Amino acid sequence: MGILSWVIFGLIAGVIARCIMPGKEHMGIFMTMILGVVGALIGGVISTALGFGKVSGFNIYSIAIATLGAIIVLFAIHKIRALKQL
């Protein structure tokens, strides 16, 4: 995929992940896009390791993998912020 496709793909996955797992993060559109791209990378690595496939294009299956990866990243962010408050 090209860079513009990754930007749009990351934005879609990041928005879906933030809707599924809301929190007190004050992320703008750029950070939401970064969240989706990082989620796609992490989700792709995990799903490939488990034998489910990888993020292979702009389709529903890849968006689902990227969204799950972004949810994992959001979960990690929530836990790190909770530890900082202790």
Side-chain angles (χ1 to χ4, degrees), residues 5-66:
S5 297
W6 273 103
V7 168
I8 294 169
F9 186 80
L11 186 60
I12 292 169
V15 167
I16 293 171
R18 288 192 59 206
C19 287
I20 292 173
M21 190 171 184
K24 295 181 181 178
E25 294 84 28
H26 298 289
M27 293 183 178
I29 195 164
F30 183 72
M31 288 306 291
T32 302
M33 178 196 60
I34 296 293
L35 170 69
V37 171
V38 171
L41 294 173
I42 291 174
V45 168
I46 292 172
S47 68
T48 301
L50 294 175
F52 293 121
K54 57 185 178 177
V55 177
S56 59
F58 204 36
N59 54 36
I60 298 295
Y61 183 71
S62 295
I63 289 175
I65 291 173

